[in-house]
């Protein structure tokens, strides 16, 4: 089973690239982020025509997450995270597909920092950690997939000095991510590529793609029951180089079937 996380950076603008990816790779589950569309404007017919059912949590112009499943429709379990009732950002959706619990996550960017956006980011990590702990307690194969907007380690970026002041690499951001993993989650990509140097994002500015000046912010965390089935993890990097591509590349994990 191939499970993918893919920040599409606007599903309407990237729809040809998304359909292309689904057709060529035929992943089993795809977690999308940054849809930038309200539910009523989402291209559901195109997704269905490609052979995928989906659950959506859209938002006009910003954020937005979804979970797609090949040949079936995910069973929705939860939208949003508890802890801040006034938070209307569409950043979390959770579903079940073929016995696996999957969450699509779009963690706040947090820039500029310090400031209210960074404070919101840290609170959101705390709320995610509370939900993650509850999921672990269920002792089921679970995958927390998404754009975490956290560069966990120095070797997860092309340049530590270039990112030093960014919210993605602040000590508080890293500590929040590491405390999440420390609950008992396995960082699939890190496990398969322990020396780092694997990027999932390349900015549109300053020729970042051409210079391979990227970093790793898209992560797939596996519960122990999912980690026991881990086969491989990687990045479909070539899709970042296609015409009118997202600034993220699809990032994936493969699990053995039950």
């Amino acid at each position: 089973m191939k499970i993918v996380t893919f920040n599409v950076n606007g599903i309407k603008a990237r729809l040809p690239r998304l359909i292309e990816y689904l057709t060529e790779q035929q992943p089993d589950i795809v977690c999308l982020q940054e849809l930038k569309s309200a539910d009523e404007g989402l291209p559901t017919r195109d997704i269905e025509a490609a052979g995928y059912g989906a659950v959506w949590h859209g938002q006009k112009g910003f954020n937005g997450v979804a979970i797609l499943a090949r040949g079936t429709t995910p069973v929705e379990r939860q939208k949003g995270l508890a802890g801040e009732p006034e938070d209307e950002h569409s950043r979390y959706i959770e579903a079940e597909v073929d016995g696996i619990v999957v969450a699509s996550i779009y963690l706040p960017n947090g820039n500029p920092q310090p400031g209210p956006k960074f404070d919101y980011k840290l609170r959101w990590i705390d709320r995610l950690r509370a939900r993650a702990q509850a999921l672990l307690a269920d002792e089921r194969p679970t995958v927390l997939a998404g754009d975490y907007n956290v560069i966990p380690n120095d070797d997860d970026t092309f340049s530590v000095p270039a990112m030093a002041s960014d919210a993605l690499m602040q000590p508080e951001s890293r500590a929040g991510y590491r405390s999440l993993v420390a609950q008992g989650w396995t960082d699939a990509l890190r496990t398969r590529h322990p020396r780092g140097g694997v990027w999932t994002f390349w900015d549109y500015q300053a020729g970042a793609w051409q210079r391979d000046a990227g970093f790793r912010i898209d992560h797939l965390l596996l519960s122990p029951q999912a980690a026991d089935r881990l086969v491989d993890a990687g990045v479909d990097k070539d899709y970042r180089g296609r015409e009118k591509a997202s600034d993220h590349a699809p990032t994936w994990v493969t699990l053995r079937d039950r």
Side-chain angles (χ1 to χ4, degrees), residues 42-63:
L42 292 166
T44 54
R45 290 184 180 179
D46 298 271
I47 299 298
E48 290 169 357
Y52 287 78
V55 290
W56 309 88
H57 187 24
Q59 184 176 345
K60 184 178 180 179
F62 301 94
N63 307 319

Side-chain angles (χ1 to χ4, degrees), residues 85-221:
E86 67 278 12
D87 183 6
E88 297 180 350
H89 287 198
S90 299
R91 295 183 175 275
Y92 182 92
I93 190 168
E94 180 183 304
E96 183 172 334
V97 181
D98 193 25
I100 295 181
V101 177
V102 182
S104 182
I105 294 163
Y106 182 42
L107 205 143
N109 177 282
N111 283 303
Q113 69 83 29
K117 290 186 177 181
F118 189 62
D119 295 340
Y120 170 61
K121 178 191 187 89
L122 299 182
R123 293 197 309 273
W124 207 94
I125 293 174
D126 288 340
R127 292 160 58 200
L128 175 61
R129 190 164 54 239
R131 180 59 189 160
Q133 188 66 65
L135 289 170
L136 281 178
D138 287 342
E139 298 186 351
R140 299 185 60 190
T142 303
V143 181
L144 305 182
D147 176 1
Y148 283 70
N149 271 314
V150 176
I151 300 171
N153 309 285
D154 285 356
D155 57 10
D156 287 321
T157 177
F158 75 102
S159 171
V160 171
M163 299 303 297
S165 62
D166 197 285
L168 278 62
M169 214 173 75
Q170 293 310 295
E172 298 92 336
S173 303
R174 287 180 160 184
Y177 180 80
R178 288 172 179 167
S179 67
L180 176 64
V181 174
Q183 290 178 333
W185 299 91
T186 294
D187 182 334
L189 201 59
R190 188 71 184 184
T191 298
R192 296 298 296 165
H193 303 275
R195 296 182 179 179
V198 177
W199 318 143
T200 68
F201 171 92
W202 297 257
D203 199 281
Y204 291 129
Q205 306 300 318
W209 169 249
Q210 291 75 12
R211 296 185 295 116
D212 197 27
F215 42 84
R216 183 174 79 100
I217 54 175
D218 301 275
H219 310 308
L220 299 113
L221 301 187

